[in-house]
Amino acid sequence: MAVDSQLSSPLGPPACDKDSKALLFIEEMTRKADAVQERVLGEILLRNAKTEYLRRFQLNGATDRDTFKSKIPVVSYEDLLPDIQRIANGDRSSIFSAHPISEFLTSSATSAGESKLMPTIHEELDRRQLLYSLLMPVMNLYVSGLDKGKGLYFLFVKAETKTPGGLLARPVLTSYYKSEHFKTRPYDPYNVYTSPNEAILCADSFQSMYTQMLCGLLMREEVLRVGAVFASGLLRAIRFLQLHWQQLAHDISAGALNPKITDPALRDCMSKIIVKPNPELSKFITQECSGENWEGIITRIWPNTKYLDVIVTGAMAQYIPTLEYYGGGLPLSCTMYASSECYFGLNLKPMSNPSEVSYTIMPNMCYCEFLPHEPDAPAVSRDSPPPLVDLADVEVGKQYELIITTYAGLCRYRVGDILQVTDFYNSAPQFRFIRRKNVLLSIDSDKTDEAELQKAGDNASALLQEFNTSVVEYTSYADAKSIPGHYVIYWELLVKEPANPPTHEVLNLCCLAMEESLNSVYRQIRVADNSIGPLEIRVVKNGTFEELMDYAISRGASINQYKVPRCVNSSPIVEFLDSRVTSKHFSPAPPQWNSERR
Ligand code: AMP
C-alpha cells in the first residue's frame, strides 16, 4: 500500500498507513521524552491529588517534579502491603488511585511467600494495547510480508482467584487476553494468529495447548512466525509436541478432534477448523516427530517461519541454546519489556541478536526515575532521599534501578529491575536488561530469592536431624536443559553417624519439603502449569565446597571476601559440582498448591 511520504518515519519506510501513524507516534514520544514525562507526572498527580496516599505525604495538590520528589518516598512492595491488604479486603476508598481499582494483577512472590497483588485500573488496558500496537509496525521495518500468513503463538490464561473483598486477582496476561481489547480486536492482516480465542482462553492448560498446537499443525504452511511470551513457554510447547504428536497426528488423519477436548466452546470452534481427514499431513507429522533427532524441528514443521518471537533477555537467556537447537538457527526476536505494574517499552531493532537487545522505554507509559546502581555501594538510607535521575538524564554505560509512578497510583515504586543505558533514540534512552534484583533462581515466571532458598533449605534439612546429619554448604542451579526446567540444589552433608546415613527416601522428601516452602508462584507453575519439573537435590562429596573456593580464588576472588555463591550458572562450575555428585534425589510428588490465597 502506498504511504503518504509526509508520514514517513526516520525509523524506516512504514509498511502501511497504520504503521506510519504508529512509527510517528514513537518518533514524537521519543523526541519529547522529557516533556512527555513531565506531562505524565502532572496528569497522574492531578487526577490522584485527593487520594489518601498523596495526602498522607502532604503533596497538597502539587503536580511538579520537585515537590513530588521532595515529599514522596521511594517504596517497595512491602511498604505498600498494608494499604494493598485494605483494598484486597474490600476498602473501596481512593487509597492509591482516584479511578476505581478494577482488579489485582498477580506477579512474582514476596518475602511472605504469596504472589504480589498489584492494584490496577481499567484504563491501563488501553496503555497495554497501545504498546502492543507499536510492535508490528516496528517489526515490519525489518521483516517483510508478515501480512501474507499467520503467527503461531502459544498464549495461555491462568487460574484466577478473588480477594476477600471480591476483587479478581490474576496475572496481567490473563487479564489482557480476557479483556474485550484482546477478544474483540479488529482484524489486522499483520496480526493474524493460528490459535482461535477459544483455545487461548480455555483455562485447562492441556486442552488449550493441544488445540493451539493442532491449529498450528493444520496451518503449518501459513505460519510465518512462531512464538510465546517467554522462551520457557515455547519450549513447553515443543515438549508437548514430543509427548502428544501421535494423538495430534491421529486427529489430523481422522479429521476428528480428540475426545479429551471437552470444553464445549472450544470443541465447537475446532469443529470449524478440523473439517476433513488429512492423511498426508498426518504422515508428514509422524515422519518428522517419530525420529530421535529434533534438531531444527520448528523449521521442519513450519518451513516458512521467519523468526521466533520470544523474550530471551534476562532470566530467559538460559534457554537460548535450546531454542537455537529446536529453531534451527532462526533469529530470536525480543520485542518488548513489561511488567504487571506497567508495560514499559519496546525493542526498536527487534531482529538484533539477544545479547545486543535494548529496550526503549516509551515515556507516555508511566513516570520513570532511575536510582544509580553501583553494585558495591552501601544500601540507600531511608532518611536521605536517594539521588534519582529522570528518564532523559540517564547516562550511557551506567546501570540503574527502575522506579516508577503509574496512572494506577503506584508512586516511586521500585520495580526491582537493573537496567543499563546503551544508547539514546532521539531523547529517549535505550536499556539493556541486566537482571532482577535479588532473584537467584527462575525457570518460568517464578522468581526465588536468596532468603526463600535459605528458608526452604532449613525446612528441608530438619528432616535430616533423625539421621544426625546436617547440611554444611549448599548452592543452586536452574537447570534449563531439561524440559520443563527444574531447580537443582547441591548439598554437602555432614553425616555424624556414618553407619546411619540419611536414606534415599528421606532425601527425596527433603526435595518435596523444599518445594513446599517455596512461594506460591513457584508451586502454581509446578503444579497447575507443569512448567517446572520436580526439584532435585544432588549430594556432593565432602570437601567439594572447599574445592569450589580454591577454584574461585585461583580465578582471582579475594580470600577474605569469598562467599559461597548461592546460585551457580557458569558451565565450568556446574560441571565441577556435577563431577563431585554422589547421589541424586527428586521430589516424589508435587507440592501443595491451591488457588485460594491464604
Ligand atoms: P511480572 O511482574 O511477574 O509480570 O514480571 C515482570 C518482570 O519480568 C520484569 O520486571 C522483568 O524483571 C521481567 N521482564 C519482563 N520483560 C522482560 C524482558 N523483555 N527482558 C527481561 N526481563 C523481562
Side-chain angles (χ1 to χ4, degrees):
M1 190 190 304
V3 174
D4 183 341
S5 60
Q6 281 189 317
L7 291 180
S8 189
S9 152
L11 284 167
C16 60
D17 274 346
K18 197 164 143 266
D19 283 11
S20 83
K21 288 199 187 102
L23 298 179
L24 284 179
F25 179 77
I26 296 175
E27 220 28 56
E28 195 191 329
M29 290 297 116
T30 53
R31 280 204 185 140
K32 300 183 193 153
D34 194 49
V36 175
Q37 282 281 278
E38 181 152 6
R39 172 177 61 75
V40 166
L41 180 66
E43 281 173 9
I44 293 172
L45 297 181
L46 185 64
R47 66 150 69 169
N48 290 335
K50 299 216 165 66
T51 57
E52 187 181 320
Y53 193 77
L54 292 184
R55 285 203 311 214
R56 193 180 295 162
F57 297 104
Q58 276 103 42
L59 201 61
N60 301 330
T63 57
D64 63 291
R65 285 193 232 205
D66 289 345
T67 317
F68 173 72
K69 287 175 188 247
S70 67
K71 296 202 166 174
I72 305 293
V74 174
V75 293
S76 318
Y77 182 77
E78 280 68 24
D79 298 310
L80 303 180
L81 196 54
D83 288 322
I84 288 177
Q85 262 156 2
R86 282 171 57 202
I87 303 173
N89 290 335
D91 189 334
R92 294 282 179 273
S93 63
S94 302
I95 299 177
F96 293 122
S97 166
H99 287 221
I101 300 301
S102 52
E103 59 184 306
F104 281 110
L105 302 176
T106 53
S107 78
S108 39
T110 65
S111 45
E114 290 289 344
S115 57
K116 281 185 199 163
L117 288 177
M118 301 308 313
T120 188
I121 55 176
H122 189 260
E123 171 198 286
E124 277 298 302
L125 281 165
D126 298 337
R127 253 172 234 111
R128 283 177 214 131
Q129 191 178 41
L130 173 72
L131 195 69
Y132 282 128
S133 75
L134 304 178
L135 304 183
M136 284 315 284
V138 173
M139 184 56 86
N140 291 336
L141 297 173
Y142 295 89
V143 183
S144 61
L146 291 173
D147 55 338
K148 307 287 183 297
K150 298 184 178 177
L152 166 55
Y153 280 82
F154 296 96
L155 306 177
F156 301 94
V157 295
K158 292 197 182 187
E160 49 192 39
T161 56
K162 277 211 168 148
T163 66
L167 280 173
L168 274 179
R170 54 191 181 178
V172 62
L173 291 170
T174 300
S175 159
Y176 185 72
Y177 299 144
K178 287 192 165 182
S179 73
E180 292 307 313
H181 290 68
F182 179 78
K183 286 195 291 190
T184 56
R185 60 197 183 276
Y187 174 78
D188 172 356
Y190 290 93
N191 247 333
V192 181
Y193 297 148
T194 51
S195 299
N197 286 357
E198 288 81 351
I200 296 171
L201 296 174
C202 176
D204 179 293
S205 62
F206 174 84
Q207 297 188 46
S208 175
M209 177 72 94
Y210 190 94
T211 47
Q212 295 198 52
M213 184 61 83
L214 185 57
C215 292
L217 295 174
L218 290 166
M219 299 174 216
R220 62 181 278 269
E221 279 170 11
E222 292 169 71
V223 170
L224 301 183
R225 49 202 174 111
V226 175
V229 179
F230 288 113
S232 53
L234 183 52
L235 289 174
R236 207 175 116 217
I238 293 172
R239 180 76 191 141
F240 188 91
L241 184 61
Q242 286 176 334
L243 295 175
H244 301 286
W245 62 265
Q246 278 154 314
Q247 285 163 285
L248 290 156
H250 174 269
D251 287 10
I252 293 171
S253 88
L257 187 62
N258 187 332
K260 282 192 193 149
I261 308 305
T262 52
D263 180 306
L266 185 50
R267 278 204 80 83
D268 185 43
C269 138
M270 289 303 294
S271 69
K272 294 172 197 122
I273 296 173
I274 182 157
V275 281
K276 57 175 189 319
N278 188 341
E280 231 171 276
L281 177 59
S282 172
K283 202 169 136 212
F284 171 79
I285 306 282
T286 305
Q287 185 188 308
E288 292 299 334
C289 297
S290 55
E292 286 288 294
N293 180 11
W294 276 60
E295 187 169 357
I297 193 78
I298 298 180
T299 37
R300 283 191 269 145
I301 296 192
W302 296 284
N304 300 317
T305 311
K306 299 182 185 222
Y307 64 95
L308 301 183
D309 189 346
V310 273
I311 292 177
V312 286
T313 42
M316 294 289 150
Q318 60 196 347
Y319 297 109
I320 293 174
T322 320
L323 278 176
E324 283 174 342
Y325 176 81
Y326 291 120
L330 280 170
L332 300 174
S333 172
C334 303
T335 57
M336 68 189 280
Y337 168 46
S339 77
S340 313
E341 293 87 346
C342 185
Y343 280 21
F344 303 121
L346 75 169
N347 177 1
L348 294 178
K349 291 185 184 157
M351 297 309 277
S352 50
N353 190 290
S355 61
E356 278 149 30
V357 168
S358 287
Y359 299 100
T360 305
I361 291 189
M362 290 299 288
N364 58 309
M365 300 301 289
C366 63
Y367 175 64
C368 299
E369 294 172 277
F370 296 86
L371 177 63
H373 176 76
E374 289 151 30
D376 301 324
V380 177
S381 150
R382 278 179 172 251
D383 306 331
S384 54
L388 300 198
V389 180
D390 274 321
L391 182 70
D393 299 331
V394 295
E395 292 175 50
V396 172
K398 290 203 171 157
Q399 291 190 11
Y400 299 91
E401 183 185 339
L402 176 61
I403 315 274
I404 56 169
T405 297
T406 66
Y407 284 89
L410 294 176
C411 284
R412 311 193 91 193
Y413 175 85
R414 300 174 84 147
V415 174
D417 289 346
I418 307 291
L419 309 174
Q420 182 174 36
V421 186
T422 53
D423 204 348
F424 275 75
Y425 180 72
N426 293 324
S427 55
Q430 303 185 291
F431 296 92
R432 175 172 301 152
F433 183 91
I434 299 294
R435 64 185 176 86
R436 196 168 168 95
K437 260 179 35 193
N438 304 333
V439 171
L440 277 190
L441 291 168
S442 174
I443 288 289
D444 193 86
S445 45
D446 53 303
K447 300 178 184 76
T448 296
D449 67 20
E450 189 166 339
E452 273 192 279
L453 189 66
Q454 172 77 39
K455 191 185 80 194
D458 290 348
N459 291 349
S461 60
L463 300 179
L464 302 178
Q465 275 166 9
E466 63 170 298
F467 297 92
N468 213 353
T469 294
S470 55
V471 176
V472 278
E473 270 308 352
Y474 72 94
T475 189
S476 65
Y477 169 60
D479 186 347
K481 288 197 287 290
S482 55
I483 309 176
H486 70 293
Y487 288 13
V488 175
I489 315 296
Y490 292 93
W491 265 4
E492 183 172 321
L493 300 178
L494 177 63
V495 183
K496 291 177 202 133
E497 292 168 35
N500 179 30
T503 60
H504 183 59
E505 286 66 34
V506 158
L507 285 160
N508 287 349
L509 289 176
C510 288
C511 297
L512 182 57
M514 282 197 91
E515 293 199 295
E516 298 283 11
S517 312
L518 292 173
N519 64 68
S520 65
V521 174
Y522 173 92
R523 285 178 284 116
Q524 173 172 13
I525 297 172
R526 167 91 167 88
V527 177
D529 308 342
N530 279 317
S531 297
I532 302 182
L535 183 144
E536 178 182 359
I537 290 177
R538 295 184 189 161
V539 177
V540 294
K541 278 190 203 141
N542 284 355
T544 299
F545 279 84
E546 220 169 294
E547 282 188 76
L548 186 65
M549 178 171 83
D550 293 343
Y551 174 81
I553 290 165
S554 74
R555 307 275 309 240
S558 140
I559 194 154
N560 293 322
Q561 285 166 312
Y562 176 79
K563 288 194 220 68
V564 174
R566 291 303 174 210
C567 178
V568 295
N569 42 29
S570 95
S571 12
I573 295 187
V574 174
E575 277 165 27
F576 162 78
L577 288 168
D578 282 340
S579 72
R580 301 295 189 274
V581 168
T582 54
S583 61
K584 294 183 175 187
H585 312 272
F586 288 91
S587 245
Q592 294 290 324
W593 175 76
N594 68 44
S595 52
E596 297 299 312
R597 290 185 68 81
R598 276 174 278 158

